[in-house]
Amino acid sequence: QVQLVESGGGLVQPGGSLRLSCAASGNIFSIYTMAWYHQAPGKQRELVASITNGRRIDYADSTKGRFTISRDNAKNTVYLQMNSLKPEDTAVYFCNAEIMSTSGLRSLYWGPGTQVTVSS
């Protein structure tokens, strides 16, 4: 069994910053791609940023250079540094990871999400 848990969300003023963390735990053999998605009410879940085990990084255009994704393999953790936040960044942010479990199952896992609200 594998579990992802996000942390670091909350309420922040426009122009502010947040640092999201997502820690994977459980019967993990290896982690391939880790990613952040967000979903606003009435909209599809969208990819924000991803990082592979080889540290290839991709960002959505909406980040406009404001966000930085990173990972710490020793901690099985992926981070999303969010700077210059805008009201349109308001959404639930979900962690996603492609993980090989110790049972041999390679699957995509999702965290429960953490709310990010950007408002004055």
Side-chain angles (χ1 to χ4, degrees):
Q1 298 181 5
V2 174
Q3 180 177 254
L4 302 179
V5 179
E6 303 97 339
S7 62
L11 175 64
V12 65
Q13 294 183 339
S17 298
L18 286 173
R19 182 174 180 258
L20 305 183
S21 300
C22 172
S25 61
N27 300 321
I28 298 170
F29 181 78
S30 62
I31 302 177
Y32 302 98
T33 301
M34 305 187 81
W36 288 96
Y37 290 73
H38 68 182
Q39 186 169 23
K43 294 187 176 181
Q44 285 189 303
R45 188 172 298 185
E46 297 179 326
L47 177 68
V48 176
S50 65
I51 181 169
T52 70
N53 55 335
R55 294 184 172 82
R56 177 191 176 109
I57 295 173
D58 290 299
Y59 293 102
D61 290 341
S62 61
T63 67
K64 298 183 183 297
R66 299 176 295 122
F67 295 179
T68 302
I69 190 170
S70 61
R71 63 191 286 171
D72 185 338
N73 290 335
K75 297 180 179 179
N76 290 332
T77 299
V78 63
Y79 305 94
L80 185 68
Q81 179 66 47
M82 308 168 67
N83 298 327
S84 302
L85 283 162
K86 304 176 181 179
E88 49 263 47
D89 295 318
T90 296
V92 177
Y93 283 72
F94 296 91
C95 178
N96 171 268
E98 184 183 14
I99 297 174
M100 175 72 77
S101 71
T102 54
S103 66
L105 180 64
R106 181 170 175 166
S107 300
L108 291 173
Y109 295 87
W110 292 93
T114 184
Q115 178 70 46
V116 172
T117 302
V118 185
S119 176
S120 60

